Amino acid sequence: MTFSVSNTKVKIALTVALAALMLLAPAFLSEFRLSLLGKFLAYAVLAMGLDMIWGFTGILSLGHGVYFGLGAYGMAMHLKLAASPEGLPDFMSWSGVEKLPWFWAPFQSAGAAIVLSLLVPTVVAFILGYLTFRNRIRGTFFSILSQALVIITVTLFVGQQGYTGGTNGLTNFDTFLGLKLADPSVKLALYYATAAAVLLTLVLCLGLASSRLGKILTAVRDAENRVRFIGYDPVVYKVFIYCVSAALAGLAGMLFVLQEGIISPAQMGIVPSIEMVLWVAIGGRATIVGAILGTVLTNAAKTTFSEAYPDWWPVIMGAMFVVATLFLPKGIVGTCKDWVQTWGRGSGKAVSVLNPAAPLAYTELKKTQ
């Protein structure tokens, strides 16, 4: 007997369950814990975009902290200007800057700040992606280049104290659109806005993964040269999805800074960028939902261990990553899928769950030519 689970039904069920959990969370969590969850959900938006390029397309980016930071800084610049009655941020005055720099001026508008916080990471990703993918730089070499981008960006932001706030970054924000960020009702509204962003991103990524574009991306991951030979240009698709992923990272940065109230170069460095990849790996590559699960669980564990064992939590987290790598190589969601299929075979009931990341994508594309 065979039970076939429709991919569409699985997506709908997972989306509804996730929406219900996020909707009910404020009823069970304290204001502090809800604020932490909101921050983790902002990270989840980035993780889903990272899963699209790594899990589905095979592009391992170790520099997504840059795109997250650019989005966060864009929103922080607007918040800082709104908190500066004289029109010049305090750290600029301390550094001897007497006039607002020209590149700060557009961020006086909230609308412009939102657009630029999405546009700037996308443009940077387009430039890097086009130059590298066009020259067929991939794999380890691309990962090294993405880390070089992190080093350059962090060094630039730290060195330009008078324009970026240096190592301290940007903080001391009061209002957004005239609303007090410290007000509990505003914090709750920001949480729900972040939850809505997670759901919209989930729907977007699941839709892309299930579409013809998703099959092409998976085929590029598994057999890029063959995809090129049957008439597709992998550069176009890789650059496109890389830019989408960068835009989602910028969105995550905006949502993060509104809830956290600070952004500094340390939060866009190499270590945070590697942690972002670990979120996806622990949750499960090429699953989308796994990126959300891995992000929330990993960050929740990090918070819990750092509170309970302040001296030992880095060791505990490291051990957790090692165990997950050795015993859950497909991540939590991927391992659960394997267990379901194993149970189906052992019980004599074949269980089939359609997977948009199946390695047959190239074959399917070839048949449609």
Side-chain angles (χ1 to χ4, degrees), residues 88-101 161-163:
L88 191 68
D90 49 13
F91 68 87
M92 289 188 181
S93 300
W94 302 337
S95 301
V97 178
E98 300 178 354
K99 183 180 179 181
L100 188 70
Q161 169 76 37
Y163 302 113

Side-chain angles (χ1 to χ4, degrees), residues 1 24 58-59 71 79 105 131 167 176 238 248 305 315 325-326 353:
M1 185 179 296
L24 295 174
I59 303 171
L79 297 176
L131 292 178
T167 55
F176 176 61
K238 291 169 76 172
L248 291 176
F305 292 144
V315 177
T325 302
L326 292 177
V353 180

